[in-house]
Protein backbone atom coordinates (compact mmCIF):
# COMPACT_ATOMS: atom_id res chain seq x y z
CA UNK A 1 0.00 0.00 0.00
CA UNK A 2 1.14 3.57 -0.69
CA UNK A 3 1.01 5.46 2.61
CA UNK A 4 1.89 9.05 3.44
CA UNK A 5 2.86 9.93 7.01
CA UNK A 6 2.79 13.63 7.85
CA UNK A 7 5.23 14.43 10.65
CA UNK A 8 8.41 12.59 11.68
CA UNK A 9 8.31 12.90 15.45
CA UNK A 10 7.98 9.92 17.79
CA UNK A 11 4.66 8.83 16.35
CA UNK A 12 5.24 9.59 12.68
CA UNK A 13 8.75 8.22 12.42
CA UNK A 14 7.97 5.01 14.27
CA UNK A 15 4.74 4.49 12.30
CA UNK A 16 6.39 5.21 8.97
CA UNK A 17 9.36 2.93 9.62
CA UNK A 18 7.26 0.03 10.93
CA UNK A 19 4.73 0.28 8.10
CA UNK A 20 7.57 0.25 5.57
CA UNK A 21 9.06 -2.78 7.32
CA UNK A 22 5.78 -4.61 6.63
CA UNK A 23 6.22 -3.99 2.89
CA UNK A 24 4.31 -0.74 2.40
CA UNK A 25 5.72 2.13 0.35
CA UNK A 26 5.85 4.99 2.84
CA UNK A 27 6.40 8.68 2.13
CA UNK A 28 7.25 10.63 5.32
CA UNK A 29 6.64 14.35 5.03
CA UNK A 30 8.14 16.93 7.37
CA UNK A 31 8.49 20.67 6.83
CA UNK A 32 11.65 20.76 8.96
CA UNK A 33 14.30 20.66 6.24
CA UNK A 34 17.12 20.02 8.73
CA UNK A 35 15.33 17.00 10.17
CA UNK A 36 14.63 15.59 6.71
CA UNK A 37 18.27 16.11 5.74
CA UNK A 38 19.37 14.28 8.88
CA UNK A 39 17.05 11.37 8.12
CA UNK A 40 18.19 11.18 4.51
CA UNK A 41 21.80 11.17 5.73
CA UNK A 42 21.09 8.11 7.87
CA UNK A 43 20.63 9.92 11.17
CA UNK A 44 17.77 9.58 13.64
CA UNK A 45 16.55 12.75 15.41
CA UNK A 46 15.14 10.84 18.41
CA UNK A 47 16.37 8.02 20.63
CA UNK A 48 14.09 5.02 20.39
CA UNK A 49 15.46 1.48 20.91
CA UNK A 50 15.36 -0.61 17.73
CA UNK A 51 14.21 2.19 15.44
CA UNK A 52 17.45 3.09 13.66
CA UNK A 53 18.07 -0.27 11.92
CA UNK A 54 14.44 -0.38 10.72
CA UNK A 55 14.76 3.07 9.19
CA UNK A 56 18.09 2.25 7.58
CA UNK A 57 17.08 -1.03 5.97
CA UNK A 58 13.80 0.35 4.61
CA UNK A 59 15.49 3.45 3.21
CA UNK A 60 18.01 1.15 1.53
CA UNK A 61 15.17 -0.97 0.14
CA UNK A 62 13.43 2.10 -1.26
CA UNK A 63 10.28 1.59 0.80
CA UNK A 64 10.82 4.61 3.08
CA UNK A 65 11.25 8.14 1.74
CA UNK A 66 11.71 11.41 3.66
CA UNK A 67 10.88 14.71 2.00
CA UNK A 68 9.62 18.27 2.46
CA UNK A 69 7.63 18.11 -0.80
CA UNK A 70 3.99 18.57 0.20
CA UNK A 71 2.52 18.04 -3.27
CA UNK A 72 4.45 14.81 -3.73
CA UNK A 73 3.34 13.54 -0.33
CA UNK A 74 -0.33 14.11 -1.12
CA UNK A 75 0.04 12.48 -4.53
CA UNK A 76 1.78 9.42 -3.06
CA UNK A 77 -0.71 7.88 -0.66
CA UNK A 78 -4.37 7.05 -0.89
CA UNK A 79 -4.03 6.85 2.89
CA UNK A 80 -2.72 10.02 4.58
CA UNK A 81 -1.73 9.62 8.24
CA UNK A 82 -1.51 12.89 10.17
CA UNK A 83 1.05 12.47 12.97
CA UNK A 84 2.10 16.05 13.72
CA UNK A 85 2.55 17.54 17.17
CA UNK A 86 -0.30 18.93 19.26
CA UNK A 87 1.55 21.00 21.89
CA UNK A 88 -0.37 22.37 24.86
CA UNK A 89 -1.71 25.90 24.65
CA UNK A 90 -1.54 28.34 27.54
CA UNK A 91 -5.01 27.26 28.68
CA UNK A 92 -4.09 23.55 28.59
CA UNK A 93 -5.93 22.84 25.34
CA UNK A 94 -4.25 20.95 22.51
CA UNK A 95 -2.91 23.26 19.80
CA UNK A 96 -4.34 21.95 16.54
CA UNK A 97 -2.67 24.40 14.16
CA UNK A 98 -0.33 21.76 12.72
CA UNK A 99 -3.12 19.18 12.35
CA UNK A 100 -5.37 21.64 10.51
CA UNK A 101 -2.47 22.92 8.40
CA UNK A 102 -1.80 19.34 7.31
CA UNK A 103 -5.48 18.90 6.43
CA UNK A 104 -5.51 22.09 4.37
CA UNK A 105 -2.35 21.04 2.54
CA UNK A 106 -3.99 17.74 1.59
CA UNK A 107 -7.05 19.63 0.36
CA UNK A 108 -4.93 22.00 -1.74
CA UNK A 109 -3.08 19.21 -3.51
CA UNK A 110 -5.26 16.08 -3.60
CA UNK A 111 -6.06 14.95 -7.14
CA UNK A 112 -8.26 11.96 -6.30
CA UNK A 113 -10.03 10.21 -3.44
CA UNK A 114 -8.19 10.03 -0.11
CA UNK A 115 -8.58 8.59 3.36
CA UNK A 116 -7.17 10.87 6.07
CA UNK A 117 -6.45 9.36 9.47
CA UNK A 118 -5.43 11.38 12.53
CA UNK A 119 -2.80 9.56 14.57
CA UNK A 120 -1.96 12.69 16.56
CA UNK A 121 -3.54 12.91 20.00
CA UNK A 122 -6.40 15.33 19.42
CA UNK A 123 -9.52 16.49 21.28
CA UNK A 124 -12.94 15.07 20.57
CA UNK A 125 -14.39 16.80 17.53
CA UNK A 126 -11.07 17.30 15.72
CA UNK A 127 -12.11 15.01 12.86
CA UNK A 128 -15.01 17.39 12.18
CA UNK A 129 -12.59 20.31 11.98
CA UNK A 130 -10.24 18.37 9.71
CA UNK A 131 -13.18 17.46 7.48
CA UNK A 132 -14.29 21.10 7.30
CA UNK A 133 -10.77 22.30 6.45
CA UNK A 134 -10.48 19.77 3.63
CA UNK A 135 -13.90 20.65 2.26
CA UNK A 136 -13.08 24.36 2.33
CA UNK A 137 -9.86 23.85 0.36
CA UNK A 138 -11.56 21.65 -2.22
CA UNK A 139 -14.41 24.15 -2.63
CA UNK A 140 -11.89 26.92 -3.13
CA UNK A 141 -10.33 24.93 -5.95
CA UNK A 142 -13.70 24.13 -7.46
CA UNK A 143 -13.08 20.38 -7.37
CA UNK A 144 -15.08 17.55 -5.79
CA UNK A 145 -12.93 14.61 -4.69
CA UNK A 146 -14.24 12.06 -2.23
CA UNK A 147 -12.49 11.78 1.13
CA UNK A 148 -13.00 10.23 4.55
CA UNK A 149 -11.61 11.39 7.87
CA UNK A 150 -11.04 8.75 10.53
CA UNK A 151 -9.41 8.59 13.95
CA UNK A 152 -6.61 6.08 14.40
CA UNK A 153 -4.90 7.06 17.67
CA UNK A 154 -1.51 5.68 18.63
CA UNK A 155 -0.79 3.86 21.89
CA UNK A 156 3.01 3.88 21.83
CA UNK A 157 5.23 4.09 24.90
CA UNK A 158 8.45 6.04 24.50
CA UNK A 159 11.28 3.58 24.92
CA UNK A 160 9.13 0.70 23.64
CA UNK A 161 7.44 2.33 20.66
CA UNK A 162 8.73 -0.09 18.02
CA UNK A 163 7.60 -3.12 20.02
CA UNK A 164 4.23 -1.48 20.68
CA UNK A 165 3.66 -0.80 16.99
CA UNK A 166 4.81 -4.21 15.80
CA UNK A 167 2.80 -6.06 18.46
CA UNK A 168 -0.14 -3.82 19.38
CA UNK A 169 -2.53 -4.78 22.13
CA UNK A 170 -5.30 -2.96 20.24
CA UNK A 171 -5.81 -1.00 17.02
CA UNK A 172 -8.52 1.60 17.46
CA UNK A 173 -10.29 2.71 14.28
CA UNK A 174 -12.86 5.46 14.61
CA UNK A 175 -14.73 5.60 11.34
CA UNK A 176 -18.17 5.95 9.81
CA UNK A 177 -16.98 4.90 6.35
CA UNK A 178 -16.75 1.23 5.36
CA UNK A 179 -14.07 1.80 2.73
CA UNK A 180 -11.84 3.71 5.16
CA UNK A 181 -12.28 1.04 7.81
CA UNK A 182 -11.41 -1.70 5.32
CA UNK A 183 -8.30 0.20 4.20
CA UNK A 184 -7.03 0.52 7.76
CA UNK A 185 -7.81 -3.13 8.49
CA UNK A 186 -5.67 -4.04 5.48
CA UNK A 187 -2.89 -1.73 6.69
CA UNK A 188 -2.72 -3.32 10.15
CA UNK A 189 -3.31 -6.94 9.10
CA UNK A 190 0.44 -7.83 9.23
CA UNK A 191 0.60 -6.70 12.86
CA UNK A 192 -2.21 -8.90 14.18
CA UNK A 193 -1.62 -12.31 12.65
CA UNK A 194 -2.41 -14.42 15.72
CA UNK A 195 -5.67 -12.73 16.72
CA UNK A 196 -7.88 -9.78 15.88
CA UNK A 197 -6.88 -6.57 17.61
CA UNK A 198 -8.92 -4.04 15.64
CA UNK A 199 -11.51 -2.19 17.70
CA UNK A 200 -13.90 -0.33 15.37
CA UNK A 201 -15.89 2.49 16.92
CA UNK A 202 -17.27 5.93 16.21
CA UNK A 203 -14.84 8.73 15.39
CA UNK A 204 -15.56 10.68 18.56
CA UNK A 205 -15.27 7.57 20.70
CA UNK A 206 -11.83 6.86 19.22
CA UNK A 207 -10.70 10.42 19.90
CA UNK A 208 -11.84 10.16 23.52
CA UNK A 209 -10.32 6.68 23.96
CA UNK A 210 -6.78 7.98 23.54
CA UNK A 211 -7.20 10.70 26.15
CA UNK A 212 -9.05 8.35 28.48
CA UNK A 213 -6.24 5.77 28.32
CA UNK A 214 -3.51 8.25 29.23
CA UNK A 215 -5.64 9.89 31.90
CA UNK A 216 -6.33 6.50 33.50
CA UNK A 217 -2.61 5.64 33.62
CA UNK A 218 -1.74 9.05 35.02
CA UNK A 219 -4.44 8.58 37.66
CA UNK A 220 -2.92 5.29 38.78
CA UNK A 221 0.49 6.93 39.17
CA UNK A 222 -0.83 9.88 41.16
CA UNK A 223 -2.91 7.58 43.34
CA UNK A 224 0.17 5.51 44.20
CA UNK A 225 2.17 8.64 44.93
CA UNK A 226 -0.54 9.85 47.30
CA UNK A 227 -0.52 6.44 49.02
CA UNK A 228 3.28 6.51 49.21
CA UNK A 229 3.29 9.84 50.98
CA UNK A 230 0.69 8.51 53.42
CA UNK A 231 2.66 5.28 53.91
CA UNK A 232 5.69 7.27 55.08
CA UNK A 233 3.62 8.94 57.76
CA UNK A 234 2.03 5.68 58.87
CA UNK A 235 5.24 3.65 58.92
CA UNK A 236 4.11 1.40 56.06
CA UNK A 237 6.10 0.33 52.99
CA UNK A 238 4.51 1.30 49.66
CA UNK A 239 6.39 -1.49 47.86
CA UNK A 240 4.71 -4.08 50.05
CA UNK A 241 1.38 -2.33 49.55
CA UNK A 242 1.96 -2.32 45.79
CA UNK A 243 2.47 -6.06 45.74
CA UNK A 244 -0.55 -6.57 47.94
CA UNK A 245 -2.96 -4.65 45.72
CA UNK A 246 -1.33 -5.55 42.42
CA UNK A 247 -1.94 -9.23 43.11
CA UNK A 248 -5.63 -8.54 42.68
CA UNK A 249 -6.32 -9.31 38.98
CA UNK A 250 -8.89 -6.52 38.91
CA UNK A 251 -6.03 -4.07 39.60
CA UNK A 252 -2.84 -5.63 38.21
CA UNK A 253 0.73 -4.40 38.64
CA UNK A 254 1.13 -1.98 35.72
CA UNK A 255 1.61 1.70 36.56
CA UNK A 256 1.54 1.09 40.30
CA UNK A 257 5.05 2.36 41.07
CA UNK A 258 5.39 5.30 43.42
CA UNK A 259 8.08 7.78 42.49
CA UNK A 260 9.01 11.36 41.73
CA UNK A 261 6.04 12.10 39.46
CA UNK A 262 5.24 11.49 35.80
CA UNK A 263 6.47 13.58 32.89
CA UNK A 264 7.08 13.28 29.17
CA UNK A 265 5.24 14.55 26.14
CA UNK A 266 1.96 12.69 26.75
CA UNK A 267 0.58 12.34 30.26
CA UNK A 268 0.86 15.95 31.50
CA UNK A 269 -0.33 17.37 28.16
CA UNK A 270 -3.16 14.89 27.70
CA UNK A 271 -4.48 15.25 31.25
CA UNK A 272 -4.60 19.02 30.78
CA UNK A 273 -6.19 18.75 27.33
CA UNK A 274 -8.88 16.33 28.49
CA UNK A 275 -9.66 18.59 31.42
CA UNK A 276 -9.95 21.53 29.04
CA UNK A 277 -12.29 19.54 26.79
CA UNK A 278 -14.40 18.61 29.81
CA UNK A 279 -14.63 22.22 30.95
CA UNK A 280 -15.69 23.36 27.49
CA UNK A 281 -18.37 20.67 27.56
CA UNK A 282 -19.64 22.03 30.88
CA UNK A 283 -18.51 18.99 32.87
CA UNK A 284 -15.07 19.57 34.46
CA UNK A 285 -13.45 16.36 35.68
CA UNK A 286 -12.64 16.89 39.35
CA UNK A 287 -10.55 13.73 39.51
CA UNK A 288 -8.21 14.90 36.74
CA UNK A 289 -7.64 18.19 38.50
CA UNK A 290 -6.46 16.23 41.53
CA UNK A 291 -4.27 13.96 39.37
CA UNK A 292 -2.42 16.96 37.94
CA UNK A 293 -2.10 18.71 41.31
CA UNK A 294 -0.73 15.58 42.99
CA UNK A 295 1.79 15.11 40.21
CA UNK A 296 2.98 18.71 40.36
CA UNK A 297 3.50 18.39 44.10
CA UNK A 298 5.21 14.99 43.81
CA UNK A 299 7.96 16.45 41.64
CA UNK A 300 9.04 18.54 44.65
CA UNK A 301 9.21 15.61 47.09
CA UNK A 302 12.86 14.74 46.48
CA UNK A 303 13.91 18.36 46.91
CA UNK A 304 11.95 18.54 50.15
CA UNK A 305 13.64 15.37 51.44
CA UNK A 306 17.06 16.81 50.62
CA UNK A 307 16.30 20.08 52.43
CA UNK A 308 14.93 18.17 55.42
CA UNK A 309 18.25 16.31 55.69
CA UNK A 310 20.71 19.11 54.86
CA UNK A 311 18.80 22.27 55.78
CA UNK A 312 16.68 24.75 53.89
CA UNK A 313 19.69 26.69 52.62
CA UNK A 314 22.02 24.53 50.54
CA UNK A 315 24.69 27.08 49.63
CA UNK A 316 28.06 25.35 49.26
CA UNK A 317 26.41 21.95 48.81
CA UNK A 318 26.66 19.86 45.66
CA UNK A 319 24.36 17.00 44.73
CA UNK A 320 24.72 14.20 42.20
CA UNK A 321 21.73 13.35 40.02
CA UNK A 322 21.39 10.01 38.26
CA UNK A 323 18.83 10.24 35.48
CA UNK A 324 17.55 13.25 33.56
CA UNK A 325 15.09 11.77 31.04
CA UNK A 326 11.48 11.55 32.22
CA UNK A 327 11.75 7.74 32.05
CA UNK A 328 14.29 5.12 31.05
CA UNK A 329 15.00 4.21 27.41
CA UNK A 330 14.41 7.69 26.02
CA UNK A 331 16.27 10.99 25.74
CA UNK A 332 13.06 12.97 26.27
CA UNK A 333 13.30 15.46 29.14
CA UNK A 334 9.96 17.16 28.61
CA UNK A 335 8.18 17.66 31.96
CA UNK A 336 10.81 15.41 33.61
CA UNK A 337 10.99 15.25 37.40
CA UNK A 338 14.72 15.98 37.11
CA UNK A 339 13.98 19.50 35.86
CA UNK A 340 11.93 20.27 38.98
CA UNK A 341 14.55 18.81 41.30
CA UNK A 342 17.37 20.76 39.66
CA UNK A 343 15.33 23.97 39.89
CA UNK A 344 14.59 23.31 43.58
CA UNK A 345 18.26 22.63 44.35
CA UNK A 346 19.49 25.71 42.50
CA UNK A 347 16.87 27.88 44.23
CA UNK A 348 18.21 26.66 47.60
CA UNK A 349 21.76 27.59 46.57
CA UNK A 350 23.13 24.15 45.69
CA UNK A 351 25.12 22.98 42.69
CA UNK A 352 24.36 19.87 40.63
CA UNK A 353 26.42 17.22 38.85
CA UNK A 354 24.16 15.10 36.65
CA UNK A 355 24.44 12.01 34.49
CA UNK A 356 22.05 10.29 32.10
CA UNK A 357 23.14 7.50 29.72
CA UNK A 358 21.09 8.90 26.82
CA UNK A 359 19.74 12.36 27.65
CA UNK A 360 23.13 13.88 28.44
CA UNK A 361 23.42 15.76 25.15
CA UNK A 362 19.94 17.24 25.51
CA UNK A 363 20.72 18.23 29.10
CA UNK A 364 23.95 19.96 28.09
CA UNK A 365 22.05 22.05 25.57
CA UNK A 366 19.38 22.89 28.11
CA UNK A 367 21.83 23.89 30.86
CA UNK A 368 24.54 25.38 28.64
CA UNK A 369 24.39 28.73 30.45
CA UNK A 370 23.87 27.37 33.97
CA UNK A 371 27.01 27.88 36.01
CA UNK A 372 25.97 25.50 38.79
CA UNK A 373 24.82 22.56 36.66
CA UNK A 374 27.37 20.22 35.14
CA UNK A 375 26.38 17.23 33.02
CA UNK A 376 29.04 14.51 33.07
CA UNK A 377 29.76 11.31 31.16
CA UNK A 378 29.41 8.57 33.78
CA UNK A 379 27.48 7.72 36.91
CA UNK A 380 30.58 7.60 39.11
CA UNK A 381 31.92 10.86 37.72
CA UNK A 382 28.70 12.55 38.80
CA UNK A 383 29.44 11.64 42.44
CA UNK A 384 32.77 13.45 42.71
CA UNK A 385 32.69 16.17 45.34
CA UNK A 386 28.99 15.70 46.06
CA UNK A 387 27.24 15.64 49.42
CA UNK A 388 24.61 13.09 48.37
CA UNK A 389 23.13 11.20 45.43
CA UNK A 390 19.58 11.62 44.10
CA UNK A 391 18.17 9.05 41.67
CA UNK A 392 15.46 10.40 39.38
CA UNK A 393 15.25 7.97 36.41
CA UNK A 394 15.09 4.17 36.63
CA UNK A 395 17.82 3.34 34.09
CA UNK A 396 18.92 -0.29 34.22
CA UNK A 397 22.55 0.60 34.97
CA UNK A 398 21.44 2.25 38.23
CA UNK A 399 19.70 -0.85 39.58
CA UNK A 400 22.74 -2.71 40.88
CA UNK A 401 25.61 -0.23 41.21
CA UNK A 402 28.91 -0.56 43.08
CA UNK A 403 27.81 0.77 46.45
CA UNK A 404 31.36 0.79 47.81
CA UNK A 405 32.41 3.06 44.95
CA UNK A 406 29.42 5.32 45.63
CA UNK A 407 30.28 5.53 49.31
CA UNK A 408 33.93 6.34 48.64
CA UNK A 409 33.08 9.25 46.34
CA UNK A 410 30.32 10.97 48.30
CA UNK A 411 31.10 13.33 51.17
CA UNK A 412 28.43 11.48 53.14
CA UNK A 413 26.81 8.10 52.37
CA UNK A 414 23.36 9.51 51.59
CA UNK A 415 21.03 8.41 48.77
CA UNK A 416 17.66 9.95 47.86
CA UNK A 417 15.85 7.46 45.65
CA UNK A 418 12.98 8.81 43.56
CA UNK A 419 12.33 5.40 41.96
CA UNK A 420 12.63 2.99 44.92
CA UNK A 421 15.35 0.94 43.26
CA UNK A 422 17.03 -0.48 46.36
CA UNK A 423 16.31 -2.53 49.46
CA UNK A 424 16.34 -0.19 52.47
CA UNK A 425 17.64 -2.88 54.84
CA UNK A 426 20.52 -3.70 52.51
CA UNK A 427 21.59 -0.07 52.21
CA UNK A 428 21.31 0.45 55.96
CA UNK A 429 23.56 -2.56 56.51
CA UNK A 430 26.14 -0.98 54.20
CA UNK A 431 26.10 2.24 56.19
CA UNK A 432 23.97 4.41 53.93
CA UNK A 433 21.31 6.88 54.86
CA UNK A 434 18.58 5.98 52.40
CA UNK A 435 15.56 8.12 51.59
CA UNK A 436 13.16 6.38 49.16
CA UNK A 437 9.54 7.28 48.38
CA UNK A 438 6.90 5.91 50.73
CA UNK A 439 8.91 3.20 52.44
CA UNK A 440 8.24 3.87 56.10
CA UNK A 441 10.33 5.83 58.62
Amino acid sequence: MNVTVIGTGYVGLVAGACLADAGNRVFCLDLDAAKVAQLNAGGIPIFEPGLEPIVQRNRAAGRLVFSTDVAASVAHGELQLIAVGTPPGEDGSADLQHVLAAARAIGRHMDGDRVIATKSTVPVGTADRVRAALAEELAGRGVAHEFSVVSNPEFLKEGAAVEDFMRPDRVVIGSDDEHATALLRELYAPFQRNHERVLPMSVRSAELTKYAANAMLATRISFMNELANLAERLGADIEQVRRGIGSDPRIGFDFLYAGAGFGGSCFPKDVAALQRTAMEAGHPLQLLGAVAAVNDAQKHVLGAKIRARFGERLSGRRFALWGLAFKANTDDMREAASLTLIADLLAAGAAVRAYDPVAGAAARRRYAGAAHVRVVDSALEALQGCDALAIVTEWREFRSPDFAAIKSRLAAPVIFDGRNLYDPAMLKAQGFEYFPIGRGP
Side-chain angles (χ1 to χ4, degrees):
M1 187 185 299
N2 287 346
V3 181
T4 293
V5 178
I6 305 168
T8 58
Y10 272 98
V11 176
L13 187 54
V14 170
C18 292
L19 289 172
D21 210 45
N24 299 287
R25 296 163 297 283
V26 180
F27 189 116
C28 286
L29 172 73
D30 202 294
L31 300 184
D32 186 336
K35 182 187 287 189
V36 169
Q38 180 183 4
L39 288 162
N40 282 327
I44 301 291
I46 60 174
F47 177 82
E48 187 61 43
L51 179 60
E52 187 170 358
I54 298 176
V55 171
Q56 289 178 347
R57 68 171 171 260
N58 284 284
R59 280 189 67 251
R63 291 190 298 268
L64 185 59
V65 174
F66 299 100
S67 176
T68 59
D69 190 333
V70 176
S73 74
V74 178
H76 175 81
E78 178 188 2
L79 178 60
Q80 304 270 318
L81 300 180
I82 298 178
V84 296
T86 53
E90 292 184 3
D91 60 359
S93 62
D95 185 345
L96 296 178
Q97 62 172 316
H98 302 302
V99 172
L100 297 178
R104 292 190 185 98
I106 295 170
R108 280 194 298 271
H109 294 283
M110 60 189 283
D111 56 0
D113 299 348
R114 294 290 185 275
V115 172
I116 298 94
T118 54
K119 290 201 74 66
S120 304
T121 302
V122 295
V124 176
T126 297
D128 296 335
R129 297 181 64 181
V130 168
R131 192 177 294 110
L134 280 157
E136 182 179 344
E137 291 293 336
L138 291 173
R141 293 170 55 199
V143 296
H145 298 303
E146 294 292 326
F147 66 89
S148 298
V149 178
V150 303
S151 175
N152 176 220
E154 54 81 19
F155 296 94
L156 308 179
K157 300 184 294 292
E158 288 189 36
V162 171
E163 177 71 14
D164 287 346
F165 197 98
M166 294 293 200
R167 296 177 176 83
D169 46 26
R170 78 278 209 198
V171 177
V172 171
I173 300 175
S175 171
D176 55 9
D177 180 87
E178 290 184 3
H179 169 67
T181 302
L183 193 67
L184 285 167
R185 282 187 179 277
E186 179 185 346
L187 180 72
Y188 287 109
F191 306 103
Q192 47 172 345
R193 295 290 300 277
N194 61 346
H195 69 274
E196 175 75 13
R197 292 182 172 89
V198 169
L199 299 176
M201 59 183 69
S202 70
V203 175
R204 286 183 169 239
S205 297
E207 291 171 334
L208 182 56
T209 294
K210 170 60 179 179
Y211 276 122
N214 280 354
M216 172 63 80
L217 297 176
T219 299
R220 286 171 69 101
I221 294 170
S222 280
F223 176 73
M224 288 304 293
N225 283 333
E226 282 275 74
L227 278 185
N229 297 333
L230 176 62
E232 283 194 7
R233 287 156 178 78
L234 298 178
D237 186 335
I238 195 62
E239 281 298 295
Q240 295 177 13
V241 174
R242 179 184 66 82
R243 291 192 291 272
I245 64 176
S247 300
D248 186 331
R250 297 170 300 174
I251 298 173
F253 287 101
D254 290 342
F255 288 85
L256 285 188
Y257 289 92
F262 60 77
S265 64
C266 295
F267 286 6
K269 173 177 71 73
D270 292 353
V271 166
L274 181 55
Q275 182 69 301
R276 182 67 186 180
T277 296
M279 292 174 66
E280 290 175 352
H283 186 74
L285 302 176
Q286 298 179 44
L287 178 60
L288 281 194
V291 167
V294 167
N295 190 60
D296 290 342
Q298 196 68 17
K299 291 181 179 180
H300 294 281
V301 166
L302 277 182
K305 287 177 178 286
I306 290 171
R307 293 193 304 274
R309 167 61 175 78
F310 288 99
E312 287 296 320
R313 296 306 304 164
L314 300 175
S315 298
R317 300 281 189 183
R318 181 181 293 113
F319 295 93
L321 261 67
W322 281 4
L324 293 163
F326 85 93
K327 60 182 278 189
N329 297 319
T330 181
D331 61 352
D332 193 346
M333 293 178 59
R334 286 174 287 184
E335 303 283 345
S338 63
L339 303 180
T340 301
L341 177 57
I342 290 172
D344 286 351
L345 292 174
L346 295 180
V352 172
R353 287 172 66 88
Y355 165 70
D356 189 286
V358 172
R364 288 187 180 92
R365 291 192 297 270
R366 185 180 187 94
Y367 292 106
H372 298 292
V373 178
R374 183 177 178 188
V375 181
V376 299
D377 294 325
S378 75
L380 292 181
E381 185 183 355
L383 303 173
Q384 294 288 49
C386 289
D387 293 282
L389 166 64
I391 300 170
V392 192
T393 312
E394 65 280 18
W395 284 99
R396 186 178 300 277
E397 69 176 84
F398 302 156
R399 295 183 183 180
S400 184
D402 183 340
F403 288 107
I406 294 173
K407 196 172 185 179
S408 69
R409 285 166 172 79
L410 291 176
V414 183
I415 296 176
F416 299 89
D417 185 356
R419 299 300 171 189
N420 289 347
L421 297 183
Y422 310 131
D423 177 13
M426 182 267 290
L427 283 191
K428 183 179 179 180
Q430 295 196 37
F432 282 92
E433 291 182 64
Y434 182 54
F435 299 89
I437 303 290
R439 306 205 66 182

